[in-house]
């Protein structure tokens, strides 16, 4: 079933009328939810402002006690909608999913910021809370990423008191992190004696791990521009930093699929073996 709700034109309303229209719209939506309507259309405006105001300022249990997924046309509109939400409620948790900024056939890699947003989106969706607003463009939503089971199996949490293995650098590399002298961008890590800096896509800032021997003594966020430590945190969510991970098992599966594909195409054996080696 579906309802069509006529939204008052925002440009024609004074501030008290806006608040009144907002409350009326909430009441209409509450009744629609109570009637188990699964599809509700809101008509009357093409602006994102009313929806942003409704989601950021709603007192409705049906609206405010659920996470929300907002789908827009492109990445620019996704960022604009996030700005609208943060204007009305700066404390609201908004997570944006960006689309790949390069073609997969270009031979180029997406920016770390883009990959980080996509993996951070998956991580946040895994623990979605009431009132969270997830914003994605349609292209970003349809582009494939790591299977959730793989993402989940490769994710871990680090807490004070945990021991870091001696092979921690190799573990980070296997998750797609890149070693750097200074951690300035998402997906980088640096190890300097008893300090390990990691910029996981799970957080907007990198984390500085201070060690006592091999044991984690403290975790603090730090500013990647100034490199200064800031607020302490009780946990670091370490998630994959790349959407394609080149593990030994994946190489083996890829070679098997490629070999079968080449055999089906009747390609000359020396040529196919050269492709496989490449």
């Amino acid at each position: 079933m579906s309802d069509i709700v006529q939204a008052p034109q925002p440009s024609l309303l004074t501030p008290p009328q806006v608040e009144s229209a907002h409350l009326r719209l909430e009441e209409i939506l509450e009744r629609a939810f109570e009637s188990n309507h699964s599809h509700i259309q809101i008509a009357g405006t093409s602006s994102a402002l009313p929806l942003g105001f409704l989601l950021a300022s709603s007192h409705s249990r049906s609206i405010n006690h659920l996470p929300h997924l907002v789908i827009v046309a492109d990445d620019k509109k996704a960022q604009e909608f996030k700005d609208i939400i943060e204007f009305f409620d700066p404390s609201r948790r908004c997570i944006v999913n960006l689309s790949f900024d390069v073609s997969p056939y270009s031979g180029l890699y997406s920016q770390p910021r883009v990959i980080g947003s996509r993996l951070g989106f998956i991580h946040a969706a895994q623990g979605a809370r009431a009132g969270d607003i997830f914003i994605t463009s349609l292209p970003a939503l349809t582009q494939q990423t790591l299977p959730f089971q793989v993402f989940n199996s490769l994710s871990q949490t680090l807490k004070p008191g945990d021991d870091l293995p001696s092979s921690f650098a190799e573990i980070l590399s296997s998750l797609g992190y890149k070693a750097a002298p200074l951690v300035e961008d998402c997906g980088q890590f640096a190890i300097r004696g008893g300090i390990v800096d990691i910029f996981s896509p799970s957080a907007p800032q990198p984390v500085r791990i201070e060690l006592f021997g091999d044991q984690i003594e403290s975790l603090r966020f730090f500013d990647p521009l100034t490199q200064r430590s800031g607020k302490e945190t009780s946990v670091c969510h370490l998630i994959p930093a790349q959407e394609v991970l080149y593990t030994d098992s994946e190489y083996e599966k890829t070679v098997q699929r490629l070999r079968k594909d080449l055999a089906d195409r009747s390609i000359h054996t020396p040529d196919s073996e050269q492709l496989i080696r490449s």
Side-chain angles (χ1 to χ4, degrees):
M1 301 178 67
S2 68
D3 265 1
I4 298 181
V5 178
Q6 185 70 25
Q9 295 290 340
S11 59
L12 304 179
L13 302 178
T14 63
Q17 289 174 319
V18 169
E19 181 67 23
S20 176
H22 175 253
L23 293 174
R24 290 203 309 273
L25 183 57
E26 273 197 358
E27 291 172 2
I28 294 170
L29 291 173
E30 283 277 8
R31 290 199 297 271
F33 288 135
E34 290 171 1
S35 302
N36 293 321
H37 285 76
S38 59
H39 185 199
I40 303 169
Q41 299 179 51
I42 300 178
T45 177
S46 60
S47 171
L49 280 168
L51 177 60
F53 181 63
L54 176 68
L55 292 180
S57 309
S58 174
H59 298 291
S60 163
R61 284 194 166 204
S62 299
I63 296 173
N64 219 28
H65 287 201
L66 292 170
H68 309 286
L69 174 64
V70 179
I71 304 173
V72 295
D74 52 47
D75 289 351
K76 181 181 178 181
K77 293 189 183 302
Q79 186 57 52
E80 288 174 352
F81 193 79
K82 182 176 187 287
D83 293 341
I84 290 171
I85 294 292
E86 291 179 343
F87 174 79
F88 289 118
D89 184 1
S91 65
R92 180 74 63 165
R93 189 182 184 219
C94 288
I95 304 95
V96 175
N97 183 32
L98 299 176
S99 60
F100 293 127
D101 52 347
V102 295
S103 164
Y105 304 105
S106 66
L108 303 174
Y109 289 95
S110 288
Q111 299 176 40
R113 177 182 66 89
V114 172
I115 297 173
S117 83
R118 294 171 58 80
L119 294 167
F121 190 89
I122 299 173
H123 170 73
Q126 183 182 14
R129 305 189 299 243
D132 285 353
I133 299 174
F134 295 86
I135 308 167
T136 180
S137 66
L138 188 58
L141 194 64
T142 57
Q143 288 168 344
Q144 292 188 348
T145 185
L146 276 173
F148 178 72
Q149 293 83 355
V150 175
F151 178 89
N152 200 34
S153 67
L154 295 175
S155 300
Q156 58 179 294
T157 56
L158 303 175
K159 303 184 294 296
D162 289 349
D163 288 330
L164 289 188
S166 58
S167 59
F168 191 58
E170 286 79 8
I171 292 173
L172 290 174
S173 296
S174 70
L175 293 176
Y177 290 84
K178 305 295 183 185
L182 290 177
V183 170
E184 299 174 309
D185 214 340
C186 188
Q188 292 182 335
F189 76 95
I191 299 177
R192 302 186 305 278
I195 294 178
V196 180
D197 292 344
I198 306 173
F199 202 153
S200 170
S202 65
Q205 283 190 311
V207 169
R208 177 159 291 152
I209 303 173
E210 295 184 359
L211 300 173
F212 183 75
D214 292 331
Q215 190 177 79
I216 298 176
E217 190 171 38
S218 68
L219 298 167
R220 291 183 179 275
F221 291 112
F222 70 92
D223 187 330
L225 295 177
T226 64
Q227 296 292 308
R228 290 182 179 175
S229 299
K231 184 176 67 173
E232 195 165 352
T233 179
S234 61
V235 64
C236 171
H237 296 284
L238 189 62
I239 65 174
Q242 294 290 336
E243 293 183 84
V244 179
L245 298 175
Y246 297 102
T247 62
D248 290 341
S249 61
E250 286 302 317
Y251 275 126
E252 189 174 336
K253 291 177 186 176
T254 302
V255 167
Q256 290 173 357
R257 289 194 295 264
L258 180 58
R259 195 182 296 279
K260 181 179 184 304
D261 183 63
L262 293 173
D264 292 342
R265 294 169 183 262
S266 301
I267 293 178
H268 191 49
T269 300
D271 293 336
S272 65
E273 289 302 319
Q274 178 60 40
L275 283 170
I276 289 170
R277 281 195 299 274
S278 297

